[in-house]
Amino acid sequence: MMSHGCTCPGPGPGPAQPHGRPRASTLFNTHLRAPRVQRSCHCPALQQRASERAAMGSVPEEVALGFGGLVGDLREVYESGRTRDLEWRHSQLRGLVRLLEEEEEDIFDVLREDLGKHRAESFRDEVGVLKKSIVDKLQNLKNWAAPEKARTPLVAFPSTALVVPEPLGVVLIFSCWNLPIGLALEPLSGALAAGNAVVVKPSELAPSTSAFLAANIPKYLDPKAVKVVEGGADVGEKLMEHRWDKVLFTGSSRVGRLIMTKAAKHLTPVALELGSKCPCIVDWLDSNRDSQVAVNRIIGAKWSTCSGQACIAIDYVLVEEEFAPILIELLKSTLKRFFTKPEYMARILNEKHFNRLRDLLADRRVSASVVHGGHCNPKTLSIEPTLLLNPPLDSDIMTEEIFGPLLPIITVKKIEDSITFLKSKPKPLAIYAFTRNEKLKRRIIEETSSGSVTFNDAIVQYGLDSIPFGGVGPSGFGQYHGKYSFEMFSHKKAVLKRSFLIEFLFRYPPWDESKIGMLRHVYRFDYVSLFLALIGLRR
């Protein structure tokens, strides 16, 4: 644990932890493990620096357990109206763009420190895609925030109806460790575009990135309206004791359930982005080129995105028995060609996660199915890209989300059987399918349910601003990215304006059959019959 710079006597750091990592916590760690919160210190100098840091938009771990004032201050800022101003929103988005441009090298450094990501992977999956998304918001925000006209029936003439997007208020964002910049700043950009005050709680499992966000967000954004809270599981729990106008959580379903339980106390709306076992159907592809392109994209979506530690990474492959040997050989040769250096693939997050993945392979029935790879290096927290052919369907590797560089390949008699297989499983975040068969594509769309379906590619849907990203059922709910990030943190308020000019008394008692008849004409939009009834020419 790093010193806070205080010269007063205080408690010791506690027992040493493996690799300098703190003790596991039991609640609100975004995936596996949470660091220890520092014990309180009563040094005036430290408290003064803590207050200054909080004023600058970042809340240190030492004082993070008292959030009443923080939430109250943010609500006061929101109620003042400053965040609703369109120019303020634009300025915050421009600040995020500058952060990504000016701090790009530091972002690459912290992602390498936390996850061993290559700078190219960091740019592709986080910096580049984020900047593109924020620029899109800047270009379209004026239109998104404008009131939208809605139709009104002739019987209400003269009247106008509008749908007015308004900010929700003060929102809380929990980000995850596997895309720690993107999963913090993409929803943050949507919340700011919508005009909210925001607290971001970065994942404590990516400590370098968390510290980077805490240090830099106050420099580029309004520090009174945007706060960063660092800390572990108990900090997350304390945050959820307060009333928020919306909470977005990205992480495990276990913690997602805890978030919802806490949110229910205040009837706080929640959006959950959870994991799942994302399947990939690989049809027999006659063209050698098409087969190679499919394999390139499968590898990109499994091993070159945080070493498979991503909620939208391919979890397993479904393929016809006859095509499986060809697919496996193509995967082997392409893996060898793509990963010529160890640094081209991210490492496993930490020791606990590494051991979990190694335990999946320790099952004798599973280890017997390994057809490529399987080597684990605990010193570097790295696991070789591993292919498994038909591991038992009741084994942990086929019942739990893998979240790592292990790829089971499950064979079916006919590729159409894969649809039956998928329908028996929980709804995933994404389904991928490589096929030229239009009938199969149509059946996948119509007969399965998932957050998204992507044909002949994988993971790229995450980077599209024009379509929503999110899960369904056990893979989560709530959608964001592009305009959908703006809408996630907005309330669409209906506004109806009517004149005093025309009044229809058949709306009110005392009732008789003629009034019921007139109401029937109104609800059928039969204005000719209504007019005739009103002037007494028709009953």
Side-chain angles (χ1 to χ4, degrees), residues 47 136 252 281 335-336 349 395 404 419 533:
Q47 291 179 343
D136 177 68
S252 70
I281 299 170
L335 281 167
K336 185 177 181 180
L349 172 70
S395 60
I419 296 176

Side-chain angles (χ1 to χ4, degrees), residues 178-465:
N178 52 348
L179 295 168
I181 295 291
L183 293 176
L185 299 190
E186 170 58 37
L188 174 61
S189 68
L192 294 174
N196 298 279
V198 190
V199 168
V200 177
K201 163 66 174 67
S203 172
E204 70 280 2
L205 300 181
S208 296
T209 308
S210 178
F212 169 85
L213 292 171
N216 285 281
I217 281 181
K219 296 179 185 177
Y220 290 91
L221 302 180
D222 183 343
K224 293 187 178 298
V226 185
K227 304 287 185 180
V228 178
V229 174
E230 293 186 86
D234 46 359
V235 170
E237 186 172 2
K238 290 292 183 181
L239 282 167
M240 287 304 300
E241 293 294 333
H242 297 275
R243 180 176 68 85
W244 305 92
D245 296 297
K246 188 149 195 177
V247 173
L248 168 64
F249 170 79
T250 303
S252 70
S253 57
R254 179 186 66 83
V255 181
R257 291 185 180 94
L258 297 173
I259 291 284
M260 288 193 69
T261 301
K262 289 282 188 180
K265 177 181 176 182
H266 300 289
L267 295 179
T268 298
V270 175
L272 299 179
E273 297 297 337
L274 309 175
S276 69
K277 293 183 74 65
C278 296
C280 177
I281 299 170
V282 183
D283 196 3
W284 190 297
L285 298 170
D286 294 327
S287 161
N288 289 337
R289 181 188 178 278
D290 288 355
S291 296
Q292 184 61 63
V293 170
V295 165
N296 293 347
R297 294 172 181 179
I298 290 169
I299 290 174
K302 179 62 178 181
W303 290 284
S304 86
T305 299
C306 202
S307 193
Q309 300 171 107
C311 56
I312 52 172
I314 294 172
D315 194 272
Y316 62 94
V317 165
L318 293 165
V319 63
E320 286 186 354
E321 289 177 351
E322 289 184 69
F323 189 53
I326 299 172
L327 176 64
I328 289 169
E329 289 307 312
L330 274 173
L331 285 166
K332 287 180 181 180
S333 61
T334 308
L335 281 167
K336 185 177 181 180
R337 186 157 43 87
F338 279 8
F339 296 106
T340 55
K341 294 182 180 179
E343 61 263 32
Y344 290 167
M345 194 170 81
R347 62 168 169 77
I348 307 305
L349 172 70
N350 58 26
E351 211 176 319
K352 188 171 184 178
H353 200 179
F354 176 87
N355 290 335
R356 181 187 64 83
L357 289 165
R358 187 167 59 177
D359 289 347
L360 293 178
L361 294 176
D363 183 331
R364 289 181 180 178
R365 301 176 303 159
V366 172
S367 61
S369 71
V370 173
V371 293
H372 177 76
H375 177 70
C376 302
N377 188 335
K379 292 182 179 179
T380 59
L381 295 179
S382 60
I383 297 178
E384 187 181 6
T386 302
L387 304 175
L388 306 97
L389 181 61
N390 287 321
L393 296 181
D394 62 348
S395 60
D396 288 346
I397 202 168
M398 286 306 300
T399 57
E400 298 178 4
E401 183 183 13
I402 295 172
F403 227 69
L406 317 178
L407 183 64
I409 297 171
I410 306 299
T411 60
V412 291
K413 293 291 184 184
K414 297 183 300 180
I415 200 62
E416 289 78 11
D417 295 339
S418 59
I419 296 176
T420 303
F421 186 92
L422 297 185
K423 289 169 71 173
S424 68
K425 305 297 180 184
K427 298 176 181 179
L429 186 58
I431 292 175
Y432 305 114
F434 290 83
T435 180
R436 287 184 173 275
N437 186 331
E438 294 301 322
K439 183 179 179 181
L440 180 62
K441 291 178 185 177
R442 188 165 57 251
R443 286 193 62 194
I444 292 170
I445 294 170
E446 294 175 354
E447 298 180 31
T448 67
S449 180
S450 58
S452 65
V453 178
T454 299
F455 293 108
N456 300 328
D457 211 332
I459 287 191
V460 292
Q461 79 278 7
Y462 179 86
L464 265 63
D465 300 319

Side-chain angles (χ1 to χ4, degrees), residues 462-527:
Y462 179 86
L464 265 63
D465 300 319
S466 56
I467 57 177
F469 173 79
V472 59
S475 58
F477 44 82
Q479 297 177 313
Y480 70 120
H481 286 200
K483 183 180 181 181
Y484 301 95
S485 294
F486 171 86
E487 292 181 343
M488 171 178 276
F489 295 104
S490 298
H491 166 60
K492 291 190 172 182
K493 181 165 62 178
V495 178
L496 178 66
K497 299 178 182 179
R498 283 210 66 196
S499 165
F500 290 106
L501 183 62
I502 297 175
E503 176 71 324
F504 293 115
L505 294 178
F506 59 77
R507 294 170 52 189
Y508 314 111
W511 302 116
D512 58 36
E513 288 301 315
S514 67
K515 289 185 177 180
I516 295 175
M518 291 182 186
L519 288 170
R520 291 187 194 278
H521 297 322
V522 169
Y523 292 143
R524 292 171 183 159
F525 303 104
D526 185 358
Y527 298 129

Side-chain angles (χ1 to χ4, degrees), residues 55-84:
M56 286 297 292
S58 174
V59 180
E61 209 170 336
E62 305 94 75
V63 297
L65 299 183
F67 289 121
L70 172 74
V71 179
D73 289 347
L74 285 170
R75 200 162 294 283
E76 186 176 336
V77 169
Y78 172 73
E79 294 296 343
S80 73
R82 71 191 287 172
T83 65
R84 291 173 176 258

Side-chain angles (χ1 to χ4, degrees), residues 118-175:
H118 192 277
R119 56 191 286 118
E121 179 182 337
S122 295
F123 182 82
R124 183 196 64 189
D125 294 349
E126 304 211 51
V127 176
V129 73
L130 256 177
K131 182 180 174 183
K132 171 187 66 67
S133 175
I134 296 167
V135 168
D136 177 68
K137 291 180 180 68
L138 275 167
Q139 293 171 344
N140 292 287
L141 178 56
K142 186 175 180 180
N143 290 332
W144 297 346
E148 181 183 343
K149 288 186 177 180
R151 283 194 318 114
T152 58
L154 184 60
V155 72
F157 179 85
S159 66
T160 58
L162 299 171
V163 178
V164 180
E166 67 175 10
L168 292 173
V170 181
V171 302
L172 172 62
I173 296 169
F174 288 97
S175 67

